[in-house]
């Protein structure tokens, strides 16, 4: 039933593509795989951003309110992951994990590191956590001291001060750079294709190696630009909505 | 101890191979810098141009090369360049194939990306220089080029430098991507060492630390450059 409906739509689409001068055969063969690739890319980015955000929170708090040792450790973490290429980090995790296979088997984690997709999510999470922690730290530090003092004087516990006073404001300040981080992550996620993940970039490379048609790179370019543009638009709306109490300069 | 042997220079160790790769990485980054910055400045001037066509073209350039994954830009430049040149060569002598130099393709691709990001920095800096500066230069009878070179640019440079420092750091990390099109940079030399020794964790960690060392070194140099670029400002302050 669904097929009967979708097939003519698909054929119409392909005919249209052929009409505007694109390679309809190529699209027939790889079009669906490209969409799957987009799905994998979105999954990579979504999972990494989410886990990264969870990890960034304690890192940022460690840098701001931690003792000497914890704040230095958090600083070192951020410095390492921001100062080295994501490609090197990905290789370190993906190939490095293979070297410690016995160890990972012993502790029952080998099933996780065996899979390239998991390794990519793991690396991207560690990487984006470092960037997100810096963004959050910037937000926290730009708040006037009076905010946390005010919270304390109301009798709130340190946890409550963070949860109800500091963090909501820090996230509002960091909203724009966090949006940039999403865009950067979408772009960086292409690196996963180097370790055999069939994300959008991986599918593109596969299609190109079989067809030698440059057109596939143009599709990929359009799809990546589309994703980035959508995130930018969504973030504009988010920012207007969440920061509507703040007088924006524009 | 065993690891030190792996890193030794000479036939038994990989120290010299990795050092050569690191050198190539630096060469690549340094060759990209002038090209990318010059193009970035040009694009920024295009964004500020009175002609709407120049403005649209400059904005399109930024949107595209800021939005595309660097890896994709690299592939498009490398394979696309190869196909385009082969087709062009076909007109001259049919059947000829052209090999694009990987290093050149790397410089071009990374340069386009750097230009897109630095043009935003330059454009913001351009806006930060008051109009009166340029008008005063014209009033003194300086020709257009000299007004830009001696009056606008030094002030623009000071404002732009922190942003450009950032771009440089990103560029240095992005150079690692060229290993994918078989340039023997730090990343690829490391991969070769890994292939032979089966010590991926150790060697990739070493590679990471070398990149980290480059970052630290760069930030030391750039902090001094920033101090130097704003030396005129300190004198004017009430210190």
């Amino acid at each position: 039933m669904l097929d009967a409906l979708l097939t003519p739509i698909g054929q119409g689409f392909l005919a249209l593509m052929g009409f505007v001068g694109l390679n309809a055969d190529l699209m027939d063969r790889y079009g669906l795989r490209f969409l799957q690739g987009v799905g994998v890319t979105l999954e990579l980015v979504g999972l990494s951003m989410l886990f990264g955000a969870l990890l960034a929170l304690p890192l940022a708090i460690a840098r701001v309110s931690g003792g000497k040792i914890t704040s230095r450790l958090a600083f070192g973490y951020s410095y390492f992951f921001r100062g080295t290429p994501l490609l090197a980090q990905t290789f370190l995790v993906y190939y490095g994990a293979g070297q410690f296979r016995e160890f990972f088997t012993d502790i029952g984690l080998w099933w996780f590191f065996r899979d390239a997709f998991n390794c990519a999510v793991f690396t991207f999470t560690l990487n984006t956590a470092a960037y997100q922690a810096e963004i959050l730290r910037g937000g926290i530090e730009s708040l006037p001291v009076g905010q946390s003092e005010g919270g304390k004087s109301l009798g709130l516990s340190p946890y409550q001060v963070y949860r109800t006073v500091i963090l909501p404001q820090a996230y509002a300040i960091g909203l724009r750079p966090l949006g940039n981080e999403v865009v950067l992550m979408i772009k960086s996620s292409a690196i996963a294709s180097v370790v055999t993940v069939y994300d959008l970039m991986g599918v593109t490379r596969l299609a190109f190696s079989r067809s030698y048609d440059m057109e596939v790179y143009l599709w990929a370019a359009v799809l990546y630009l589309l994703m980035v543009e959508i995130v930018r638009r969504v973030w504009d709306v988010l920012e207007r909505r969440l920061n509507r109490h703040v007088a924006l300069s524009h | 101890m065993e690891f030190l042997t792996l890193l030794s220079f000479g036939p038994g160790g990989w120290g010299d191979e990795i050092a050569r790769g690191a050198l190539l990485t630096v060469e690549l980054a340094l060759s990209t810098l002038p090209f990318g910055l010059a193009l970035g400045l040009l694009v920024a001037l295009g964004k500020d141009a009175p002609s709407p066509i120049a403005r649209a073209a400059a904005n399109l350039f930024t949107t595209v090369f800021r939005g595309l994954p660097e890896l994709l830009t690299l592939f498009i430049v490398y394979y696309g360049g190869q196909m385009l040149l082969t087709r062009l060569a076909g007109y001259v002598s049919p059947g000829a194939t052209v090999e694009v130099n990987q290093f050149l393709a790397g410089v071009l691709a990374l340069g386009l990306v750097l230009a897109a990001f630095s043009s935003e920095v330059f454009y913001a800096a351009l806006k930060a220089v008051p109009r009166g500066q340029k008008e005063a230069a014209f009033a003194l009878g300086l020709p257009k080029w000299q007004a830009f070179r001696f009056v606008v640019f030094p002030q623009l440079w000071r404002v732009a430098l922190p942003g450009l420092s950032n771009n440089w750091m990103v560029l240095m990390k992005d150079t690692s991507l060229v290993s994918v099109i078989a340039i023997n940079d730090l990343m690829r030399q490391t991969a070769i060492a890994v292939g032979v020794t089966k010590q991926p964790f150790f060697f990739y960690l070493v590679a990471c630390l070398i990149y980290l060392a480059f970052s630290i070194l760069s930030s030391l140099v750039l902090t001094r450059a920033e101090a130097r670029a704003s030396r005129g400002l300190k004198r004017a302050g009430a210190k």
Side-chain angles (χ1 to χ4, degrees):
Chain A
M1 179 64 208
L2 197 63
D3 268 4
L5 200 69
L6 285 179
T7 312
I9 294 180
Q11 273 163 357
F13 176 71
L14 289 177
L16 186 71
M17 289 300 106
F19 181 71
V20 296
L22 292 172
N23 188 339
D25 267 357
L26 200 64
M27 198 163 282
D28 186 26
R29 195 165 320 148
Y30 294 110
L32 281 180
R33 299 194 68 162
F34 265 76
L35 286 187
Q36 283 165 358
V38 170
V40 173
T41 291
L42 292 179
E43 221 177 307
L44 264 177
V45 174
L47 289 174
S48 309
M49 286 303 293
L50 182 71
F51 294 139
L54 294 178
L55 187 57
L57 189 58
L59 276 172
I61 293 176
R63 283 210 60 186
V64 181
S65 313
K68 215 171 188 174
I69 296 170
T70 22
S71 67
R72 287 227 175 120
L73 279 176
F75 172 76
Y77 176 90
S78 281
Y79 204 89
F80 178 82
F81 280 99
R82 282 159 21 110
T84 56
L86 184 59
L87 184 69
Q89 294 162 15
T90 308
F91 282 167
L92 186 67
V93 169
Y94 181 64
Y95 294 114
Q99 192 180 344
F100 302 115
R101 181 178 176 166
E102 278 171 34
F103 169 73
F104 282 122
T105 315
D106 283 349
I107 59 169
L109 279 178
W110 177 240
W111 62 270
F112 181 86
F113 286 101
R114 199 176 56 184
D115 186 48
F117 179 85
N118 291 343
C119 284
V121 170
F122 183 75
T123 318
F124 294 176
T125 297
L126 295 183
N127 183 276
T128 188
Y131 284 94
Q132 290 188 39
E134 283 304 296
I135 293 168
L136 203 53
R137 181 188 67 97
I140 294 172
E141 284 184 345
S142 68
L143 292 178
V145 192
Q147 290 290 332
S148 59
E149 285 174 352
K152 267 185 233 159
S153 70
L154 287 173
L156 298 181
S157 67
Y159 168 76
Q160 283 173 321
V161 171
Y162 258 109
R163 165 93 187 75
T164 57
V165 181
I166 306 286
L167 287 181
Q169 298 185 72
Y171 274 114
I173 293 168
L175 194 61
R176 172 106 338 219
L178 278 175
N180 289 342
E181 178 58 19
V182 177
V183 168
L184 285 180
M185 206 66 235
I186 292 176
K187 292 170 45 180
S188 312
S189 70
I191 284 175
S193 70
V194 182
V195 291
T196 71
V197 174
Y198 284 105
D199 68 331
L200 176 52
M201 191 71 205
V203 172
T204 309
R205 293 176 68 185
L206 178 82
F208 181 73
S209 68
R210 289 188 184 163
S211 67
Y212 279 102
D213 192 332
M214 273 307 287
E215 203 177 298
V216 292
Y217 279 120
L218 295 185
W219 301 350
V222 169
L223 287 171
Y224 272 113
L225 288 180
L226 208 66
M227 283 194 272
V228 166
E229 201 54 36
I230 288 173
V231 168
R232 268 188 38 191
R233 294 284 155 92
V234 167
W235 234 261
D236 278 347
V237 174
L238 263 183
E239 188 163 44
R240 257 202 306 275
R241 172 116 197 99
L242 292 178
N243 286 346
R244 61 191 182 279
H245 55 286
V246 185
L248 288 173
S249 51
H250 53 80
Chain B
M1 265 305 100
E2 181 207 344
F3 287 128
L4 278 183
T5 340
L6 281 176
L7 277 185
S8 69
F9 286 68
W14 291 90
D16 45 342
E17 280 84 355
I18 291 178
R20 263 207 307 279
L23 196 67
L24 199 81
T25 290
V26 174
E27 275 172 27
L28 188 69
L30 286 179
S31 321
T32 305
L33 193 64
F35 165 61
L37 288 188
L39 188 60
L41 186 57
L42 204 69
V43 173
L45 291 174
K47 281 179 195 171
D48 204 30
S51 146
I53 299 170
R55 279 205 305 270
N59 283 326
L60 184 70
F61 177 89
T62 312
T63 309
V64 169
F65 288 106
R66 257 181 10 152
L68 288 186
E70 291 77 5
L71 201 58
L72 185 60
T73 307
L74 186 66
F75 282 139
I76 290 179
V77 168
Y78 182 54
Y79 293 118
Q82 198 138 320
M83 287 188 163
L84 193 72
L85 289 179
T86 302
R87 191 174 291 180
L88 287 180
Y91 292 126
V92 185
S93 66
T97 51
V98 181
E99 286 269 327
V100 172
N101 179 286
Q102 284 110 331
F103 189 85
L104 226 59
V107 167
L108 188 61
L110 292 173
L112 290 173
V113 176
L114 176 63
F117 278 95
S118 65
S119 75
E120 289 286 276
V121 174
F122 278 129
Y123 180 68
L126 209 57
K127 292 275 138 189
V129 179
R131 269 186 69 87
Q133 294 288 334
K134 200 164 143 192
E135 287 168 358
F138 287 152
L140 286 173
L142 292 183
K144 219 172 162 184
W145 161 247
Q146 286 189 357
F148 181 75
R149 168 71 188 80
F150 295 112
V151 179
V152 176
F153 187 73
Q155 303 184 57
L156 177 151
W157 185 243
R158 183 183 67 80
V159 182
L161 207 51
L164 296 180
S165 305
N166 233 343
N167 294 344
W168 163 255
M169 299 291 199
V170 174
L171 166 69
M172 204 144 59
K173 288 185 282 166
D174 281 348
T175 55
S176 64
L177 297 173
V178 301
S179 61
V180 181
I181 57 166
I183 298 182
N184 289 325
D185 73 324
L186 171 56
M187 208 60 226
R188 196 169 143 83
Q189 294 288 58
T190 309
I192 294 170
V194 166
V196 176
T197 60
K198 308 284 178 237
Q199 294 282 355
F201 192 79
F202 171 70
F203 276 111
Y204 285 124
L205 193 63
V206 167
C208 279
L209 292 179
I210 294 175
Y211 280 111
L212 204 60
F214 286 161
S215 294
I216 294 171
L217 200 68
S218 304
S219 69
L220 287 178
V221 171
L222 288 166
T223 314
R224 297 195 65 163
E226 278 166 36
R228 196 183 135 75
S230 39
R231 66 196 183 282
L233 208 72
K234 267 184 207 130
R235 224 177 291 142
K239 261 185 209 163

